[in-house]
Amino acid sequence: MHANETPLSFVDAALLSEAASGVIAMAHFAGSRHWVPATSGNFSVRMDERFAALTATGADKARLTESEVIAAEILGPKHPRASAEAPLHLARYASTPAIGAIAHIHSLPATLLSRRHEKAGFLRLEGWELLKAFSGITTHATSIDVPIVPNDQDTDRLAALVETRMASAGSVPGYLIAGHGLYVWGARAKDAIRHMEAFDFLLTAQMHEENAR
Ligand SMILES: [Zn+2]
């Protein structure tokens, strides 16, 4: 065990195994859609107030196994096998108790539109029927402004910026990082999967519509 690794005795093995199955379901879903190229992307499920199950760094998400899912302490020291993007997951869990699962993907429409709209700082999605796939939305006659933050390799700094932006973003279940990709979440893994699929459809539709203008 590494000196700063959380002793396994603190982690409920059954809870970790159950959360890991949600992480694996999200990772395999995203992998099957080619949204996590070249071992990119990461996925997590909240275990309790203290821990989240999170993909380890370097894992091929399309073929993710349980041994590649770690228990990361939400407010604790960095886990030695945590990916560089772990702070972007853990800060969301720390700030928002309703979030139970988070997915991060590098889908092509998310990556392209995040760069196109970076200057505005947000991307408006309006009038699409599939907005109703997001929890709490019951009509197409609405719009959401998806926040866009500039990319930053200092992910602690980026996570702090994201939390500032999300505090005034309403109930939008995701945000874009410019030229990088999408973070999306839900109450449980199955909600995060639905939101991931809805975002990809909406961003693809938006991209085609903008390109046709
Ligand atoms: Zn990424």
Side-chain angles (χ1 to χ4, degrees):
M1 193 172 76
H2 296 259
N4 60 343
E5 191 164 357
T6 304
L8 275 175
S9 57
F10 287 1
V11 176
D12 182 322
L15 208 56
L16 174 56
S17 186
E18 190 190 328
S21 69
V23 172
I24 290 166
M26 289 191 287
H28 287 183
F29 180 82
S32 74
R33 306 298 172 102
H34 305 287
W35 294 338
V36 283
T39 78
S40 66
N42 32 69
F43 303 88
S44 66
V45 169
R46 186 199 289 276
M47 293 166 57
D48 53 26
E49 314 86 69
R50 193 166 162 203
F51 289 100
L54 181 70
T55 42
T57 186
D60 178 353
K61 310 312 180 302
R63 292 175 186 77
L64 192 73
T65 60
E66 195 169 330
S67 66
E68 294 167 310
V69 180
I70 58 171
E73 214 171 345
I74 292 170
L75 293 172
K78 191 179 182 324
H79 190 292
R81 290 176 64 208
S83 83
E85 293 182 284
L88 295 163
H89 290 250
L90 302 178
R92 291 268 67 212
Y93 289 124
S95 75
T96 314
I99 294 177
I102 302 175
H104 169 51
I105 57 173
H106 294 183
S107 73
L108 202 54
T111 307
L112 287 167
L113 286 177
S114 62
R115 188 142 82 169
R116 186 182 286 173
H117 294 274
E118 179 177 6
K119 269 205 183 106
F122 68 94
L123 172 64
R124 179 161 296 170
L125 298 172
E126 186 168 25
W128 303 104
E129 173 69 13
L130 215 67
L131 286 167
K132 286 162 58 185
F134 294 135
S135 299
I137 293 183
T138 56
T139 174
H140 69 281
T142 189
S143 69
I144 61 169
D145 288 343
V146 185
I148 304 174
V149 295
N151 201 9
D152 190 345
Q153 298 304 323
D154 182 335
T155 48
D156 288 312
R157 186 168 60 199
L158 185 55
L161 173 63
V162 166
E163 293 311 316
T164 304
R165 290 292 308 278
M166 291 315 301
S168 57
S171 57
V172 180
Y175 66 88
L176 294 159
I177 306 177
H180 179 160
L182 171 72
Y183 271 82
V184 49
W185 51 83
R188 288 161 297 178
K190 68 175 188 130
D191 302 301
I193 287 173
R194 188 180 75 251
H195 289 172
M196 203 175 357
E197 191 170 28
F199 260 121
D200 189 69
F201 179 90
L202 290 164
L203 295 173
T204 302
Q206 179 76 21
M207 184 178 69
H208 284 296
E209 186 179 71
E210 288 182 10
N211 290 349
R213 273 176 204 158

